[in-house]
């Protein structure tokens, strides 16, 4: 028989260990070991690249040097990573490195282009006359303080405005037809839109030149150029708008139909307001495509050094055509004016993108500031009316 120890002789249970302090896991970012590995790989690959180019191999050229350095950098970083981490971690870090380097390369190229245009065109853009005068009374050897691109800026804005007025309703209507209406004609329309997306810009200019100018006898003008830009912008707007409309949840449509709404009311009051931010992006993509086209404008609007604010009559120059005409001349001031016009074109595109983000960035269902202020005033008035109205008296009777 085994004797059982009395309760007083039993060993006390060990006290629970205090909870260890929680450690915050770092899911993103680079550690010190990662930074040292990157720096060592970059320095080692640069030294090896210099040794190959300058001492061992008959290579030359800055572009080849940079490409070889990048390839050696990836190989060196992979070798250094295999000494520290497991294969899965190494692959993940390699993919991250390639993604970051590609993004930095794109940003660097964009900054290089903007900086180059800014440096070349600053001599002309820093004078006020560039934005207030045309080239009507300016010769090839005139000083930089004479002449400007006002006629081209006005022409670009008017042509782009008319093209947007024509292309956006047609493009969104075609997108609504393909995504909401459908039927037998949806596939041919989609095929035609996809084919027009890859249409060369010179073909659009030739189409308007042959149909509008040569066949119907219309003169070269800003309106003809806007028609050519419409042909270029409409498929871009249509494809982007169709994708955005298809992303609207089907439950919203079903709720509208359940409340008795027709298909037209559902599209106008539910689908399009919900897809508004994406539709604004589609419009801006089309405008960015049209504002920089040169060949359609060259064939349909002609070139003039004077000011023409009437797009319905007479030749009208635009910024891309202004740049194309003056950048090829052998006079430094003319080339500076062309680069200043390119800088103005980039500023216009930037303004368009910012305006699109402001107009289309508000989520669907959120009221504008004016409507919100109006609703707040109505709510305050209703509260004041309830405060002074005796109980049991209907609204409006106490006034």
């Amino acid at each position: 028989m085994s004797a059982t120890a009395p309760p007083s002789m039993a060993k006390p249970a060990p006290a629970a260990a205090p909870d260890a302090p929680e450690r915050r896991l770092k899911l993103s970012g680079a550690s010190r070991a990662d930074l040292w590995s990157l720096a060592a790989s970059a320095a080692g690959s640069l030294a090896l690249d210099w040794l190959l180019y300058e001492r061992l191999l008959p290579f030359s050229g800055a572009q080849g040097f940079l490409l070889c350095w990048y390839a050696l950098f990836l190989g060196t970083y992979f070798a250094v990573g295999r000494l520290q981490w497991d294969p899965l971690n190494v692959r993940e870090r390699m993919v991250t490195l390639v993604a970051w380097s590609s993004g930095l390369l794109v940003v660097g190229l964009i900054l290089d282009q903007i900086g180059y245009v800014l440096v070349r065109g600053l001599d002309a853009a820093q004078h006020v006359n560039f934005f207030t005068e045309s080239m009507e009374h300016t010769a090839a050897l005139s000083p930089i303080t004479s002449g400007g691109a006002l006629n081209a800026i006005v022409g670009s804005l008017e042509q782009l405005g008319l093209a947007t007025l024509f292309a956006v309703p047609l493009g969104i209507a075609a997108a609504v037809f393909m995504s909401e209406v459908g039927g037998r004609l949806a596939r041919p329309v989609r095929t035609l839109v996809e084919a027009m997306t890859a249409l060369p810009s010179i073909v659009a200019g030739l189409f308007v030149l042959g149909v509008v100018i040569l066949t119907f006898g219309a003169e070269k003008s800003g309106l003809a150029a806007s028609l050519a830009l419409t042909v270029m912008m409409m498929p871009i707007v249509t494809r982007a708008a169709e994708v955005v409309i298809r992303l609207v949840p089907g439950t919203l449509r079903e709720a509208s139909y359940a409340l008795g709404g027709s298909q037209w009311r559902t599209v106008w009051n539910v689908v399009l307001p919900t897809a508004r931010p994406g539709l604004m992006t589609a419009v801006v993509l089309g405008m960015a495509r049209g504002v920089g086209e040169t060949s359609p404008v060259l064939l349909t609007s002609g070139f003039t050094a004077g000011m023409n604010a009437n797009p319905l009559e007479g030749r009208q120059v635009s910024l891309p055509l202004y740049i194309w005409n003056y950048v090829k001349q052998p006079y430094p001031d003319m080339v500076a004016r062309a680069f200043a016009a390119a800088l103005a074109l980039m500023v216009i595109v930037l303004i368009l993108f910012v305006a699109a983000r402001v107009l289309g960035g508000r989520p669907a269902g959120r009221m504008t500031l004016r409507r919100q202020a109006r609703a707040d005033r109505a709510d305050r008035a209703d509260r004041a009316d309830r405060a002074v109205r005796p109980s049991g008296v209907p609204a409006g009777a106490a006034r």
Side-chain angles (χ1 to χ4, degrees):
M1 296 181 61
S2 59
T4 304
S8 58
M9 299 297 294
K11 294 183 178 180
D19 295 337
E22 296 182 356
R23 296 182 59 184
R24 180 174 298 178
L25 296 178
K26 191 175 183 181
L27 301 180
S28 61
S31 61
R32 183 176 300 179
D34 297 337
L35 298 178
W36 278 110
S37 300
L38 285 172
S41 301
S45 59
L46 178 62
L48 181 59
D49 189 25
W50 178 85
L51 180 63
L52 292 176
Y53 260 74
E54 299 295 333
R55 294 292 184 267
L56 300 179
L57 301 177
F59 293 157
S60 61
Q63 296 180 355
F65 182 86
L66 294 177
L67 289 177
C68 185
W69 181 23
Y70 184 70
L72 291 174
F73 171 62
L74 293 179
T76 306
Y77 185 73
F78 179 80
V80 171
R82 286 293 287 117
L83 299 176
Q84 306 177 65
W85 308 300
D86 57 277
L88 182 61
N89 201 357
V90 172
R91 287 196 296 269
E92 180 183 357
R93 293 172 187 271
M94 289 294 297
V95 172
T96 304
L97 177 62
V98 171
W100 270 95
S101 58
S102 302
L104 292 177
L105 176 63
V106 172
V107 173
L109 292 176
I110 294 175
L111 293 178
D112 178 71
Q113 294 177 6
I114 296 176
Y116 181 77
V117 173
L118 180 62
V119 171
R120 294 293 302 272
L122 189 60
D123 291 339
Q126 64 183 352
H127 299 286
V128 182
N129 60 280
F130 180 79
F131 302 98
T132 58
E133 299 180 7
S134 64
M135 297 293 293
E136 186 175 6
H137 304 290
T138 303
L141 298 179
S142 299
I144 199 68
T145 55
S146 174
L150 178 62
N151 54 338
I153 296 174
V154 172
S156 287
L157 293 178
E158 289 182 349
Q159 294 172 16
L160 182 62
L162 289 175
T164 304
L165 183 64
F166 299 151
V168 170
L170 293 175
I172 295 181
V176 170
F177 171 76
M178 290 187 294
S179 59
E180 298 295 325
V181 179
R184 295 182 178 180
L185 294 178
R187 169 167 281 184
V189 171
R190 184 177 292 107
T191 303
L192 181 61
V193 169
E194 292 178 356
M196 290 181 62
T197 305
L199 185 71
S201 58
I202 189 68
V203 176
L206 289 173
F207 172 75
V208 176
L209 176 66
V211 175
V212 178
I213 297 177
L214 299 181
T215 303
F216 293 102
E219 62 178 346
K220 291 185 177 181
S221 60
L223 178 61
S226 65
L227 293 178
L229 295 180
T230 301
V231 177
M232 301 301 303
M233 293 171 54
M234 188 175 63
I236 304 296
V237 176
T238 303
R239 290 197 63 183
E242 182 190 7
V243 172
V244 171
I245 291 174
R246 287 182 177 274
L247 293 178
V248 176
T251 54
L252 297 179
R253 299 180 178 90
E254 295 173 0
S256 177
Y257 294 147
L259 292 174
S262 61
Q263 187 180 28
W264 162 248
R265 282 294 181 182
T266 300
V267 171
W268 184 258
N269 295 329
V270 177
V271 176
L272 293 182
T274 305
R276 181 181 53 202
L279 293 178
M280 291 301 303
T281 303
V283 172
V284 171
L285 288 176
M287 296 174 68
R289 172 69 186 275
V291 73
E293 291 292 342
T294 305
S295 53
V297 180
L298 176 64
L299 296 174
T300 54
S301 72
F303 182 84
T304 177
M307 181 69 183
N308 181 17
N310 184 10
L312 305 180
E313 183 181 359
R315 296 172 178 260
Q316 188 181 53
V317 70
S318 63
L319 281 174
L321 191 55
Y322 182 97
I323 298 168
W324 177 83
N325 186 74
Y326 290 128
V327 77
K328 61 182 182 180
Q329 297 194 11
Y331 307 105
D333 290 342
M334 288 295 187
V335 176
R337 293 186 181 96
F339 276 98
L343 184 62
L345 184 61
M346 290 192 298
V347 171
I348 291 175
V349 174
L350 179 62
I351 293 175
L352 291 176
F353 274 94
V354 172
R357 295 299 300 174
V358 172
L359 296 176
R362 186 174 60 251
R366 181 180 298 178
M367 293 187 296
T368 61
L369 295 179
R370 180 180 299 179
R371 295 184 63 182
Q372 183 66 41
R374 188 184 307 169
D376 293 341
R377 287 196 300 268
D379 184 63
R380 288 195 296 267
D382 184 64
R383 291 181 181 178
D385 182 66
R386 287 199 305 265
V388 300
R389 185 175 67 244
S391 60
V393 178
R399 297 175 181 172

